C-alpha cells in the first residue's frame, strides 16, 4: 500500500502557514510561535507491512523553524516475501531549520526494507536528523535493511566570472556583473546494505543498533566533557568536509547510545545560530490547510 505524507511550513504575510497532507502518517500541529512550528507525525494504520511504500515529503520555507515529533517508533514486520520501502524527501529553504529527532525504526525478522533519505538545503539552512536503526526485536536477528542518505547544500550566490586577482590582491567585480548560484554541493552520501553479511568483522559485528545524529548546514560545538562524564558514553563524531557532522553509536540496544545529549546540544546550537528574523508575537498566527482524513 502506498501513502505519501506531506508537511510544509512557510511564512506569508506575517504568519506561519502549515500545509499538511496525510498519507500513511498523519501530520498534526502541536504548537506555533514566532517563525516556528512544531508538528507531530502519527501513524494512520499498522506500519510497516510487506508491500508498503511509505513516503514523507517535508518542505521548510525560508526563515522558518520546523520541529517534527514522532509519537511512536516504526516496526517493519515480516513481509512474507514482499519488500517494503520508506523514503523521506526534505527541502529546507534559505535560513530555515529542521529538527527531527526520530524514534527507532525496527526491522523485524523476515522483513525486507529499502529506506532512503534525501535532503536539500538552501543558503544558511540547517537540518538536524536523528536516525535509529534497530535490527530485530528482542530475541531476533532482524531482517534485511538497505538504507541510503543523500544531502546537498546550495552554496551562496556568486557573481558570474568570480573575483579577479590583480597583483596578489582580490578586486571585487563591478556591480553590473550578473549573479548566479553555484552548483549544489554534496554534504553527505552514505549507503548501508545490512543484510546477511552485516555480522562480519568490520561491518556491525555483534551490534544490532545503528544510532546516528546528522547535522547539515552548520558545524556543531564539541560535546562538553562534563556531558560525556555524566552519561558515561562517548559517541563517535565525524566532521564533514562541508558544514556539518555526524555522531554515531553501534551497540546492542537503544539505551546505551548516549546520543540524546548530542541531539539536545546540537539543536540548541543550531537554533542559536539562526539569523532568520523573528515575527512579532502579536502578528503571529497559524493557518492550517489539510486534505483528507
Amino acid at each position: 500500500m502506498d501513502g505519501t505524507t506531506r508537511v510544509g511550513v512557510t511564512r506569508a504575510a506575517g504568519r506561519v502557514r502549515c500545509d499538511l497532507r496525510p498519507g500513511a502518517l498523519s501530520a498534526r500541529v502541536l504548537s506555533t510561535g514566532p517563525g516556528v512550528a512544531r508538528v507531530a507525525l502519527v501513524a494512520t494504520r499498522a506500519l510497516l507491512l510487506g508491500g508498503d511504500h511509505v513516503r514523507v515529503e517535508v518542505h521548510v520555507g525560508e526563515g522558518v523553524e520546523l520541529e517534527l515529533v514522532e509519537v511512536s517508533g516504526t516496526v517493519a514486520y515480516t513481509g512474507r516475501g514482499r519488500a517494503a520501502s520508506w523514503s523521506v524527501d526534505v527541502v529546507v529553504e534559505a535560513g530555515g531549520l529542521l529538527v527531527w529527532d526520530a524514534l527507532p525504526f525496527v526491522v523485524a525478522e523476515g522483513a525486507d526494507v529499502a529506506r532512503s533519505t534525501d535532503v536539500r538545503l538552501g543558503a544558511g539552512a540547517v537540518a538536524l536528523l536523528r536516525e535509529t536503526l534497530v535490527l530485530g526485536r528482542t530475541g531476533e536477528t532482524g531482517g534485511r535493511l538497505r538504507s541510503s542518505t543523500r544531502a546537498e547544500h546550495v552554496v551562496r550566490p556568486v557573481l558570474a566570472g568570480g573575483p579577479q586577482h590583480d597583483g596578489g590582491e582580490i578586486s571585487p567585480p563591478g556591480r553590473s556583473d550578473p549573479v548566479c548560484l553555484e552548483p549544489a554541493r554534496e554534504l553527505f552520501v552514505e549507503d548501508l546494505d545490512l543484510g546477511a553479511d552485516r555480522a562480519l568483522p568490520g561491518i556491525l559485528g555483534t551490534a544490532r543498533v545503528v544510532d546516528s545524529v546528522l547535522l547539515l548546514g552548520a558545524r556543531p560545538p564539541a560535546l562538553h566533557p562534563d556531558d560525556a562524564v555524566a552519561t558515561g558514553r562517548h559517541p563517535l563524531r565525524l566532521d564533514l568536509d562541508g558544514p556539518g557532522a555526524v555522531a554515531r553509536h553501534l551497540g546492542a540496544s537503544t539505551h546505551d547510545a548516549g546520543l540524546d545529549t548530542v541531539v539536545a546540544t546540537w539543536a540548541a546550537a543550531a537554533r542559536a545560530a539562526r539569523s532568520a528574523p523573528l515575527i512579532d508575537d502579536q502578528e503571529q498566527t497559524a493557518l492550517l490547510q489539510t486534505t483528507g482524513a
Side-chain angles (χ1 to χ4, degrees):
M1 183 175 181
D2 297 334
T4 299
T5 301
R6 295 182 176 88
V7 180
V9 180
T10 56
R11 278 186 3 191
R15 300 183 297 181
V16 169
R17 174 173 176 166
C18 299
D19 186 2
L20 311 179
R21 302 173 188 270
L25 302 172
S26 177
R28 304 175 185 179
V29 175
L30 297 177
S31 63
T32 60
V36 178
R38 194 164 181 259
V39 176
L41 295 176
V42 183
T44 60
R45 54 183 173 82
L47 293 176
L48 188 70
L49 304 178
D52 283 349
H53 301 286
V54 176
R55 180 174 176 82
V56 181
E57 297 177 352
V58 180
H59 176 226
V60 182
E62 184 174 351
V64 179
E65 175 185 336
L66 170 63
E67 180 181 0
L68 287 178
V69 179
E70 293 187 6
V71 175
S72 63
T74 300
V75 177
Y77 297 97
T78 300
R80 294 182 173 86
R82 295 185 299 170
S85 67
W86 182 285
S87 63
V88 175
D89 188 84
V90 173
V91 175
V92 185
E93 294 187 15
L97 170 62
L98 171 65
V99 177
W100 189 350
D101 185 5
L103 294 178
F105 188 94
V106 181
V107 182
E109 194 80 25
D112 185 356
V113 182
R115 179 182 169 99
S116 65
T117 302
D118 292 284
V119 182
R120 284 162 289 170
L121 301 178
V126 179
L128 176 63
L129 306 174
R130 174 83 172 270
E131 181 181 73
T132 305
L133 306 176
V134 183
L135 297 167
R137 293 171 291 186
T138 302
E140 295 181 344
T141 58
R144 184 183 181 187
L145 172 64
R146 298 172 304 286
S147 178
S148 68
T149 304
R150 301 284 186 275
E152 291 184 338
H153 186 225
V154 177
V155 187
R156 69 187 63 182
V158 296
L159 295 173
Q164 304 298 318
H165 296 264
D166 184 12
E169 297 182 355
I170 301 178
S171 57
R175 294 184 179 179
S176 60
D177 291 350
V179 177
C180 63
L181 287 176
E182 291 184 7
R185 176 185 183 185
E186 287 186 335
L187 276 179
F188 186 76
V189 177
E190 181 179 65
D191 291 298
L192 300 175
D193 189 347
L194 304 179
D197 296 334
R198 63 175 177 255
L200 292 175
I203 304 180
L204 291 186
T206 59
R208 55 183 287 268
V209 175
V210 182
D211 199 353
S212 306
V213 180
L214 181 61
L215 182 65
L216 301 165
R219 185 78 71 189
L223 184 66
H224 194 279
D226 292 342
D227 295 332
V229 172
T231 61
R233 307 178 185 103
H234 303 270
L236 173 67
R237 167 176 167 164
L238 298 173
D239 288 333
L240 306 182
D241 181 56
V246 57
R248 174 163 291 168
H249 172 81
L250 304 179
S253 72
T254 58
H255 305 294
D256 58 359
L259 290 183
D260 290 343
T261 300
V262 175
V263 172
T265 302
W266 289 11
R271 290 185 173 109
R274 286 187 68 217
S275 59
L278 296 179
I279 304 174
D280 187 86
D281 289 341
Q282 296 180 352
E283 297 179 354
Q284 174 67 26
T285 59
L287 175 64
L288 172 64
Q289 294 185 334
T290 62
T291 60

